Amino acid sequence: MLPMGTIVTVCMFAGLIIAADLPALRKLPKMIRKLVAVIVFMAGLWNSLWYGLQHMSEFWGFAALVSGVLMCVTALYILTENGLTTLLQKFKPIILIVLLGYAIMYAVTIARL
């Protein structure tokens, strides 16, 4: 059985790859994009609402809360191509970069275990 941290990390990277809207991935079927978005959204909810809120006073609890919220926003970027508010559209690069930082932090920590 895979640890939940590994699953969440893979979901972070998957969401980042799809939300970055790379030219090579633009031909991906919408069904695949939506499936990835739903999985990323569910992992983000789990990360923030279950683990993050239960361990708020710990470093990893706070990291889970923030990265979970960022994952949910990233999933919304994938699901709604231009339907988000202009403020969220404006901050898309920053949100994706911060989520990338969390994904790398998670991956490095897991690799060291």
Side-chain angles (χ1 to χ4, degrees):
M1 186 169 160
L2 287 173
M4 198 61 192
T6 303
I7 293 168
V8 168
T9 304
V10 169
C11 288
M12 282 188 218
F13 282 116
L16 284 165
I17 289 169
I18 301 296
D21 203 27
L22 301 171
L25 298 176
R26 287 190 184 139
K27 294 180 182 180
L28 245 124
K30 286 194 180 222
M31 185 65 152
I32 301 283
R33 294 175 59 83
K34 287 185 179 195
L35 179 63
V36 170
V38 167
I39 292 170
V40 169
F41 191 80
M42 290 181 349
L45 285 178
W46 181 89
N47 210 26
S48 59
L49 297 179
W50 189 82
Y51 189 84
L53 290 180
Q54 284 190 3
H55 301 91
M56 273 289 292
S57 61
E58 302 169 12
F59 173 78
W60 286 108
F62 182 74
L65 180 66
V66 174
S67 63
V69 169
L70 292 172
M71 289 171 70
C72 290
V73 173
T74 300
L76 291 176
Y77 285 135
I78 299 168
L79 286 172
T80 60
E81 293 161 9
N82 286 326
L84 295 177
T85 64
T86 54
L87 182 64
L88 280 177
Q89 287 293 359
K90 189 169 149 182
F91 285 110
K92 181 179 179 180
I94 295 168
I95 289 172
L96 294 181
I97 289 170
V98 174
L99 182 59
L100 176 63
Y102 275 104
I104 290 170
M105 181 179 71
Y106 273 57
V108 168
T109 302
I110 291 169
R112 289 182 179 170
L113 293 177

